[in-house]
Amino acid sequence: WERKKQAHSTGSSILSALQDLFSITWLNRSKVEKQLQMISVLQWVLSFLVLGVACSAILMYTFCTDCWLIAVLYFTWLAFDWNTPQKGGRRSQWVRNWAVWRYFRDYFPIQLVKTHNLVTTRNYIFGYHPHGIMGLGAFCNFSTEATEVSKKFPGIRPYLATLAGNFRMPVLREYLMSGGICPVNRDTIDYLLSKNGSGNAIIIVVGGAAESLSSMPGKNAVTLRNRKGFVKLALRHGADLVPTYSFGENEVYKQVIFEEGSWGRWVQKKFQKYIGFAPCIFHGRGLFSSDTWGLVPYSKPITTVVGEPITIPKLEHPTQQDIDLYHAMYMEALVKLFDKHKTKFGLPETEVLEVN
């Protein structure tokens, strides 16, 4: 009996030890995954902010070393390849399916909500709102396969449009093109909507730099009332307009908001006018502690809802009346999309989308 009792006690101790071991392993794994998620987000943030400038400086320095031939070969190839971004670039399904993007997705987390099917015989312009500081939801949903955009919209090729200046930066341009990112200029959009077949979806962050200046947690506002260029492009090519709203995009960073008329806002507007982007003073959390400031965004959920497409006729020379009509239809559809889904993602029924 004593032996049986000791064996039972020993077995219980071993079982308890194993349970403790698995508990510790799971805990450590959870911590490791969280760190991997933060690193995956940070690498994209740093790529977005400094990769182009850093690679330009490194290549220029290489000219002064024994490895100067590498720089010469790259810049020679760059000259021949200069117009590739304007033709849709070189997307890589391998890059779009990197595991790092799944860690990126899970950090916030980010999800893509489909409300209607898109037919592959049409082309589309998605209006993405709001810009936020970096448009993290737009990048994850449409430039990677982390949220399975290709499965949710089979036969549709998404092209996220961003500042053309990014494609003048060595190495950064290759990184962007691999994800299906293209310049947001008329030549590129004309090419994709007229010479690239059907099933193309160009995602334009309509509010741009101006909208990013008002990005702050708790605020749902879009810069849209006087943004009509994307509607004109849609009419010229007969591309359907798809309102898209990203709940939580403004929650992931905090920024210093300069009042109208202040020196800070004056500087931001000058940058916006002459360079195309507006410098923001923003912060997220630190890499190792949420109590410190850093470049890692706060882990707040981002849910991108893709609305119902608005059928657009093809008008080679649309009048201002035509543009105004479909612009008004688009604004109405965006507000309806926001109102229909706002309570599902933590907003009160009384929340109103501010359209500026």
Side-chain angles (χ1 to χ4, degrees):
W1 169 254
E2 281 297 325
R3 288 180 180 177
K4 286 183 179 180
K5 188 175 180 181
Q6 287 176 356
H8 178 74
S9 176
T10 303
S12 298
S13 298
I14 293 172
L15 181 61
S16 176
L18 285 172
Q19 287 176 338
D20 290 343
L21 178 63
F22 285 130
S23 175
I24 293 170
T25 302
W26 178 87
L27 183 63
N28 288 341
R29 182 179 178 181
S30 176
K31 287 182 177 179
V32 168
E33 285 201 356
K34 192 63 178 178
Q35 289 298 322
L36 287 173
Q37 290 168 8
M38 284 193 284
I39 291 169
S40 70
V41 173
L42 184 61
Q43 69 82 24
W44 169 248
V45 171
L46 293 177
S47 297
F48 181 83
L49 293 175
V50 302
L51 180 62
V53 174
C55 288
S56 298
I58 291 170
L59 281 169
M60 294 304 294
Y61 171 75
T62 306
F63 270 118
C64 305
T65 69
D66 293 338
C67 299
W68 60 269
L69 185 58
I70 295 175
V72 170
L73 289 173
Y74 180 82
F75 280 113
T76 301
W77 176 80
L78 186 62
F80 282 103
D81 193 60
W82 191 252
N83 292 324
T84 298
Q86 296 182 13
K87 297 180 180 180
R90 281 184 301 273
R91 73 174 55 221
S92 167
Q93 287 302 116
W94 175 65
V95 173
R96 287 174 62 88
N97 281 283
W98 278 353
V100 68
W101 307 132
R102 294 192 289 277
Y103 285 111
F104 184 104
R105 172 201 65 198
D106 293 340
Y107 172 76
F108 296 93
I110 295 173
Q111 63 174 319
L112 180 66
V113 177
K114 170 186 174 180
T115 61
H116 291 79
N117 292 325
L118 300 180
V119 297
T120 57
T121 55
R122 300 284 292 175
N123 283 322
Y124 302 90
I125 293 179
F126 286 30
Y128 183 91
H129 314 268
H131 184 287
I133 297 295
M134 292 187 186
L136 295 171
F139 169 75
C140 184
N141 284 311
F142 301 113
S143 295
T144 80
E145 292 297 329
T147 55
E148 300 186 328
V149 62
S150 294
K151 291 182 179 179
K152 290 177 180 175
F153 298 102
I156 302 298
R157 293 181 299 277
Y159 293 90
L160 177 60
T162 188
L163 289 175
N166 289 323
F167 297 90
R168 301 187 186 102
M169 298 286 189
V171 182
L172 176 62
R173 69 191 293 275
E174 327 302 338
Y175 196 20
L176 296 178
M177 285 194 290
S178 67
I181 302 178
C182 67
V184 62
N185 56 35
R186 180 172 170 175
D187 289 342
T188 304
I189 295 172
D190 282 345
Y191 179 89
L192 292 174
L193 295 180
S194 63
K195 299 178 181 178
N196 201 45
S198 59
N200 301 292
I202 301 173
I203 297 88
I204 299 176
V205 187
V206 178
E211 193 171 85
S212 69
L213 296 179
S214 60
S215 171
M216 59 185 296
K219 185 173 184 179
N220 288 284
V222 297
T223 301
L224 177 61
R225 203 169 295 279
N226 295 315
R227 300 290 175 106
K228 301 181 181 181
F230 73 106
V231 178
K232 185 177 181 179
L233 284 168
L235 284 164
R236 288 181 60 242
H237 295 284
D240 294 347
L241 290 171
V242 184
T244 305
Y245 195 85
S246 211
F247 294 91
E249 185 71 64
N250 285 343
E251 306 299 316
V252 297
Y253 278 116
K254 298 177 182 178
Q255 76 160 315
V256 177
I257 304 293
F258 293 103
E259 297 294 330
E260 289 293 338
S262 66
W263 68 269
R265 183 52 64 98
W266 179 84
V267 170
Q268 288 176 324
K269 286 187 173 181
K270 289 299 180 183
F271 267 83
Q272 179 186 337
K273 181 178 179 180
Y274 294 109
I275 301 178
F277 77 94
C280 301
I281 299 176
F282 66 92
H283 72 85
R285 54 158 292 170
L287 181 60
F288 300 107
S289 172
S290 59
D291 296 327
T292 59
W293 287 7
L295 290 175
V296 180
Y298 295 105
S299 56
K300 303 291 184 179
I302 299 175
T303 305
T304 302
V305 183
V306 179
E308 181 178 4
I310 302 167
T311 303
I312 303 294
K314 186 174 182 178
L315 303 174
E316 190 172 345
H317 301 289
T319 65
Q320 190 60 48
Q321 186 177 4
D322 295 325
I323 296 169
D324 290 343
L325 172 64
Y326 285 98
H327 182 262
M329 289 173 61
Y330 179 87
M331 285 200 299
E332 182 182 359
L334 179 65
V335 172
K336 285 183 177 179
L337 180 72
F338 178 85
D339 288 339
K340 182 177 180 179
H341 294 275
K342 61 186 178 183
T343 56
K344 299 176 186 177
F345 305 116
L347 296 178
E349 187 65 46
T350 55
E351 184 74 18
V352 176
L353 178 62
E354 181 183 329
V355 182
N356 299 314

